[in-house]
Amino acid sequence: MPASYEAVMKLALERGFYFPSCEIYADAPAGFWEYGPTGVGIKNKFIELWRRELVRRDGMMEIDGCQVMSKSVFVASGHLGNFTDPIVKCGKCGSTFRADRFITEKTGEDVPEKMPNEEIDAIIDKKDLKCPNCKGEFGGVSRFNMMFRIGIGPAGEEAYLRPETCQTIFVDFARIFKTMRGRLPLGVAQIGKSFRNEIAPRQSLLRLREFYQAEIEVFCNPNKLDEVPRFEEVKQTILRIQDGPTMKEATAEEAIKLGLVPNRLIAYYLALLVQFYEKTGIDLQKSRFRKLSDEEKAFYATAAFDFEVETSIGWLELVACNYRSDYDLKGHANTSKQNLEVLDPADQTKVLPHIFELSMGIDRSLYTILEHCYYEDKQHDDRVVLGLRPYLAPVLVGVLPLMKKDGLDEKARKIHSDLKLDFDSFYDESGSIGRRYRRLEEVGAPFAVTIDQTTMQDDTVTVRHRDNMQQERVKASELRRYLQESLKQ
RNA sequence: GCGACGGUCGUCCAGUUUGGUCUAGGACAUCAGAUUGCCAAUCUGGUAACCCGGGUUCAAAUCCCGGCCGUCGCACCA
């Protein structure tokens, strides 16, 4: 079995990576999944890698905001206007359709999403449109909003679960900029949950109703999009860019010259993103930045690239990279009546920052890492191996006594307890040694330390490597340094 | 949300056609003991499931109704 959605799913269920939420109840809703112990291990390490390679490297500021946000936030953001799709439901068979698209398809008439419900109803009446499935009459147009609405306090004040984490960053921007002595360009980052009431959640981690995002919002001066001193560090990074039907590979520097990327600021962050994903173990040969056409772009984006990775079930969007211009800050400034302009000290001008964002889906990224790292080793009984990088593995090292006698088990327990506070160490004495190696491989543990008779004589242990199954002898006293070393690049 | 098909130990599958030896079976996984002692060994024993609710019937894993979940297709994915 090659790496496939089914194989990854099977492993996830068998080894506790992730599983359906509330599964002991029959009324558990779709689109909610939990991470088990091994899954959390990978997730936490993925987040730490993200912090190291993006937040700390670039000197970004990380915040942690609330999941419940006021109604006004979404009036300003446009979520309560632009994102409500007009839908019609057949009174007879219950089929539902996007009203605007349905009318355009049937009559050729252009129907903007924002057209009032009554006008859309009038068109359906006039053109005598019927349900294409059963010829039934349509009920009136209604609006479907993908946000979860909640009631605050006894009066049930209207509020919403955020449908994207970035709104927190926008509304917090002024305070962060002032109190943290910000300067443009300023990256503000956040990891957190977002909620979207998907109509048809599907494929476990890939389309969730409650999901993790890692977002980076870069606030910048729109007049200085090519002033990026650190661009030098990344200019040789290869960007693979799909523009319409053509796929082009170019360094970040060339990509600007070729007009594939509009400016240095965007090129810089796309390159950082590539360098980050290279370290996750995802095969970058199966990745691309897909330049979105005008029709595909979100309403707020003036330039947009989706970072996509090919998996057994097709191309998956892992990160949306949008140049959002001043859409967000302008909206929040108008709605809140606050001035969100900042001073650019270089030329003492006031400017309303523009925003370039990297909006990463953590759950999808984790799935992709699992799939790209999964393999079955034909040379060795089709052993299932998760070839995770050491710094992403939920278990770094398994500590195994060769046998449970002659004091080997006690010695092994001692070594395990010496390691476990600083490393993800796992002690296992159950079953044959080969069996235990295989179990460790399935959760991606890169190393197994075995305690044998020789250990009792000279205090050395064997370190077995997951990928090539080779072993080497290492002094027990050197183990910590050995493991420490493995966690570096 | 619509349609088609499906839902049985942790995982995969048998059993449902024709209701009754199903007290639900197997494989893998897992646990305990024995034996072995560096790559899924063997033996013995154990844990562990009919998605939920209702109905038909003397009797339901099996038939009927409703719900939930999953896969696929359509639609959706801001």
Side-chain angles (χ1 to χ4, degrees):
Chain A
M1 188 159 49
S4 64
Y5 178 78
E6 288 74 25
V8 172
M9 197 65 210
K10 183 174 192 287
L11 186 65
L13 290 172
E14 282 178 344
R15 295 295 180 194
F17 287 96
Y18 53 86
F19 45 86
S21 179
C22 308
E23 62 178 338
I24 64 169
Y25 286 104
D27 65 349
F32 299 89
W33 289 70
E34 356 241 40
Y35 289 103
T38 41
V40 167
I42 297 183
K43 180 167 73 67
N44 286 345
K45 289 177 185 197
F46 176 87
I47 289 172
E48 204 37 55
L49 185 68
W50 174 86
R51 287 204 173 98
R52 187 179 77 192
E53 296 298 322
L54 293 164
V55 178
R56 288 205 284 273
R57 175 172 175 188
D58 191 59
M60 298 174 189
M61 296 179 184
E62 183 178 352
I63 66 166
D64 184 0
C66 287
Q67 296 169 2
V68 175
M69 301 184 83
S70 81
K71 180 185 176 188
S72 298
V73 170
F74 303 109
V75 170
S77 71
H79 286 84
L80 284 171
N82 300 17
F83 299 160
T84 50
D85 301 332
I87 54 174
V88 282
K89 184 167 182 171
C90 168
K92 196 170 151 199
C93 73
S95 300
T96 48
F97 303 89
R98 273 283 293 269
D100 52 338
R101 298 195 182 178
F102 181 74
I103 293 171
T104 308
E105 187 186 314
K106 293 291 172 193
T107 68
E109 202 165 318
D110 187 41
V111 180
E113 269 177 36
K114 292 174 199 164
M115 182 184 279
N117 292 357
E118 303 75 55
E119 286 181 38
I120 301 180
D121 281 336
I123 297 176
I124 292 175
D125 244 21
K126 199 175 84 188
K127 300 279 181 182
D128 197 28
L129 296 174
K130 297 273 198 296
C131 171
N133 294 346
C134 73
K135 308 286 175 227
E137 293 283 342
F138 284 123
V141 170
S142 58
R143 296 276 164 169
F144 179 73
N145 190 293
M146 297 194 54
M147 285 197 293
F148 286 100
R149 182 177 168 168
I150 60 168
I152 307 286
E157 283 298 318
E158 182 176 353
Y160 294 88
L161 292 178
R162 60 184 179 187
E164 52 185 17
T165 57
C166 59
Q167 294 303 327
T168 318
I169 297 178
F170 304 149
V171 300
D172 289 355
F173 168 70
R175 175 178 286 270
I176 295 168
F177 195 85
K178 279 177 211 152
T179 58
M180 301 307 292
R181 304 162 61 211
R183 266 169 180 263
L184 301 182
L186 173 69
V188 181
Q190 181 176 215
I191 299 261
K193 284 258 174 101
S194 288
F195 304 81
R196 294 180 193 177
N197 198 359
E198 293 281 356
I199 295 172
R202 231 162 251 196
Q203 288 166 321
S204 61
L205 259 23
L206 304 182
R207 267 170 80 187
L208 294 163
R209 286 182 164 138
E210 173 176 343
F211 57 100
Y212 282 102
Q213 286 187 301
E215 291 198 302
I216 290 167
E217 306 295 322
V218 180
F219 296 85
C220 52
N221 184 333
N223 306 312
K224 299 182 177 178
L225 295 176
D226 282 308
E227 293 178 29
V228 184
R230 287 190 297 274
F231 184 70
E232 286 298 308
E233 292 174 27
V234 304
K235 65 181 185 185
Q236 295 303 326
T237 305
I238 302 288
L239 302 180
R240 297 161 53 83
I241 296 176
Q242 174 107 32
D243 188 359
T246 60
M247 175 77 188
K248 287 190 181 140
E249 243 180 64
T251 65
E253 195 170 35
E254 289 164 357
I256 297 170
K257 287 193 188 125
L258 294 170
L260 295 169
V261 180
N263 55 56
R264 283 189 164 200
L265 184 119
I266 292 180
Y268 169 73
Y269 285 102
L270 296 188
L272 276 194
L273 195 63
V274 166
Q275 293 188 3
F276 165 74
Y277 271 105
E278 202 277 323
K279 290 182 172 153
T280 64
I282 284 176
D283 180 3
L284 289 183
Q285 289 306 306
K286 294 182 176 172
S287 76
R288 68 184 180 200
F289 284 104
R290 197 165 60 84
K291 202 169 182 175
L292 300 191
S293 65
D294 286 342
E295 299 84 67
E296 288 178 301
K297 274 188 273 191
F299 70 95
Y300 49 69
T302 55
F305 298 85
D306 278 354
F307 180 71
E308 299 181 329
V309 177
E310 194 173 17
T311 69
S312 63
I313 48 175
W315 287 90
L316 286 182
E317 177 193 338
L318 301 191
V319 188
C321 312
N322 293 308
Y323 188 79
R324 303 176 68 121
S325 71
D326 61 357
Y327 177 88
D328 304 283
L329 289 188
K330 196 187 265 176
H332 285 298
N334 289 342
T335 306
S336 68
K337 310 231 175 10
Q338 307 276 320
N339 184 355
L340 300 178
E341 289 178 325
V342 300
L343 193 69
D344 187 331
D347 44 21
Q348 293 293 307
T349 54
K350 277 204 147 184
V351 54
L352 186 63
H354 279 209
I355 291 167
F356 178 63
E357 80 170 352
L358 301 176
S359 174
M360 178 183 298
I362 294 185
D363 314 275
R364 289 177 168 197
S365 295
L366 294 176
Y367 171 80
T368 307
I369 291 170
L370 290 177
E371 193 188 294
H372 278 205
C373 289
Y374 178 102
Y375 66 95
E376 289 170 19
D377 184 354
K378 297 278 168 288
Q379 308 299 313
H380 300 97
D381 313 309
D382 288 332
R383 66 183 182 132
V384 170
V385 184
L386 210 46
L388 297 171
R389 302 284 173 97
Y391 46 83
L392 287 181
V395 174
L396 179 66
V397 59
V399 180
L400 321 171
L402 189 56
M403 44 186 151
K404 272 187 282 185
K405 60 182 183 189
D406 302 337
L408 296 187
D409 46 345
E410 282 150 52
K411 178 71 179 166
R413 274 194 217 98
K414 172 79 170 56
I415 290 176
H416 167 61
S417 68
D418 284 348
L419 295 174
K420 68 182 179 187
L421 292 187
D422 299 309
F423 304 95
D424 285 300
S425 174
F426 180 77
Y427 176 78
D428 192 359
E429 60 177 27
S430 158
S432 73
I433 191 71
R435 172 83 244 137
R436 284 177 273 162
Y437 288 148
R438 297 296 160 88
R439 279 197 285 248
L440 286 167
E441 289 159 356
E442 290 192 6
V443 296
F447 306 110
V449 162
T450 307
I451 283 74
D452 57 15
Q453 296 292 0
T454 313
T455 310
M456 305 310 274
Q457 289 157 24
D458 64 6
D459 215 33
T460 60
V461 297
T462 62
V463 175
R464 181 222 188 231
H465 295 256
R466 173 194 65 205
D467 301 322
N468 58 18
M469 301 168 72
Q470 299 296 306
Q471 286 180 298
E472 57 181 314
R473 270 211 108 77
V474 173
K475 282 184 186 158
S477 56
E478 291 289 310
L479 257 184
R480 296 178 70 90
R481 194 186 310 169
Y482 190 98
L483 294 173
Q484 209 92 54
E485 206 57 36
S486 78
L487 292 172
K488 295 181 184 161
Q489 298 311 300

